[in-house]
């Protein structure tokens, strides 16, 4: 711990799902809000060393380790299920699809179709509203979770509450790729992380391209201030 070789995956946001399980084909379906501890190995790989399936320790919330055979295998499956629920409901549905609506509306309402920023954003604003309005996660006309929502572990109400809190707690600046790496402590060079390394290449390529393109239109702060469409968009 002192030298920074322990990493924690904490699924606390899923407590609402865990307390309100959903059903599938008439049988209950369970999800947990686990905590998983990983050790940074000598080859830069992360190795799971301990899992607790509940947030609070106690007699009904044991700590599982690699020496516990089938219990260890089962606990890892629960972590994988939690990770899928977290990624899809928070990282994907909320912080991509729902968040994008703000950019779509601001762009369509304030930027001319030939505005230089619209030239950049235009291809990324297509289809999202259509997908969002198709009730993949939200309730259908009968108040039930639709096809996409049925994949996850909590009740429909618990899923909506989870997504609402994920939106309220979202920090746009902190989510920028380099900031996110630093915040989570995964920017250490000892850690083998293709997501980080490939992501940095993509991030820098975007920075260079967008900077060069918009730099031809905005050469100083006063140029930004003098663009009423850009100011309205912001």
């Amino acid at each position: 711990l002192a030298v920074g070789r322990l990493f924690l995956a904490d699924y606390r946001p899923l407590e609402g799902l865990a307390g309100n399980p959903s059903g599938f084909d008439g049988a209950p379906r369970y999800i947990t809000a686990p905590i998983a501890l990983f050790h940074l190995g000598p080859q830069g790989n992360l190795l799971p060393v301990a899992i607790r399936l509940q947030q609070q320790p106690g007699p009904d919330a044991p700590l599982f380790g690699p020496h516990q055979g089938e219990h260890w295998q089962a606990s890892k499956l629960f972590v994988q299920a939690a990770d899928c629920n977290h990624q899809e409901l928070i990282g994907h549905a909320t912080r991509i699809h729902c968040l994008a609506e703000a950019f779509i509306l601001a762009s369509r309402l304030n930027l001319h179709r030939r505005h230089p920023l619209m030239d950049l954003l235009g291809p990324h604003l297509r289809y999202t509203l259509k997908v969002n309005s198709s009730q993949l996660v939200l309730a259908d006309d009968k108040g039930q979770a639709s096809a996409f929502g049925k994949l996850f572990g909590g009740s429909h109400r618990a899923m909506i509450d989870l997504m609402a809190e994920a939106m309220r707690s979202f920090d746009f600046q902190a989510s920028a790729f380099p900031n996110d790496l630093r915040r989570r402590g995964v920017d250490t060079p000892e850690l083998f992380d293709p997501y980080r390394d490939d992501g940095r290449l993509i991030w820098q390529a975007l920075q260079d391209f967008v900077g060069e393109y918009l730099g031809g239109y905005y050469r100083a702060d006063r140029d930004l201030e003098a663009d009423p469409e850009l100011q309205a968009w912001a």
Side-chain angles (χ1 to χ4, degrees), residues 79-192:
V79 171
Q80 288 182 321
D83 194 75
C84 178
N85 279 256
H86 189 283
Q87 161 61 20
E88 289 302 315
L89 291 173
I90 296 178
H92 184 184
T94 302
R95 295 179 177 174
I96 294 178
H97 278 267
C98 294
L99 184 71
E101 290 191 17
F103 292 92
I104 294 169
L105 293 176
S107 301
R108 297 295 187 197
L109 292 174
N110 295 290
L111 300 178
H112 189 275
R113 61 184 179 83
R114 298 303 300 274
H115 190 282
L117 184 59
M118 195 62 171
D119 278 342
L120 287 176
L121 292 178
H124 304 283
L125 306 182
R126 299 171 182 167
Y127 315 124
T128 299
L129 291 182
K130 173 65 175 176
V131 172
N132 289 7
S133 66
S134 62
Q135 301 173 324
L136 287 175
V137 175
L138 302 180
D140 59 19
D141 55 5
K142 297 180 181 179
Q144 302 297 315
S146 297
F148 190 68
K150 291 178 180 178
L151 298 174
F152 305 108
S155 68
H156 179 254
R157 181 71 259 168
M159 286 192 292
I160 298 304
D161 290 343
L162 172 65
M163 294 172 64
E165 178 56 32
M167 183 65 80
R168 281 192 294 267
S169 61
F170 180 71
D171 186 326
F172 183 79
Q173 294 294 339
S175 71
F177 193 70
N179 298 338
D180 178 63
L181 295 177
R182 286 191 296 270
R183 178 181 61 84
R184 297 189 294 114
V186 294
D187 57 345
T188 173
E190 292 83 11
L191 175 63
F192 174 71

Side-chain angles (χ1 to χ4, degrees), residues 183-230:
R183 178 181 61 84
R184 297 189 294 114
V186 294
D187 57 345
T188 173
E190 292 83 11
L191 175 63
F192 174 71
D193 189 353
Y195 170 78
R196 174 200 62 204
D197 298 338
D198 293 348
R200 280 173 170 167
L201 297 175
I202 296 171
W203 174 268
Q204 193 57 52
L206 287 170
Q207 293 291 305
D208 293 343
F209 174 75
V210 173
E212 182 178 355
Y213 179 77
L214 292 180
Y217 295 92
Y218 306 104
R219 299 182 182 276
D221 288 349
R222 63 178 178 272
D223 298 326
L224 299 172
E225 297 166 358
D227 184 342
E229 291 185 22
L230 184 66

Side-chain angles (χ1 to χ4, degrees), residues 55-72:
Q55 287 288 312
Q56 299 300 323
D60 296 327
L63 194 65
F64 296 104
H67 61 288
Q68 290 177 277
E70 292 181 355
H71 294 290
W72 177 242

Side-chain angles (χ1 to χ4, degrees), residues 28-51:
R29 179 168 51 183
Y30 300 101
I31 190 73
T32 65
I35 301 175
L37 186 68
F38 296 81
H39 176 256
L40 180 59
Q43 304 300 320
N45 53 321
L46 289 176
L47 302 174
V49 294
I51 293 171

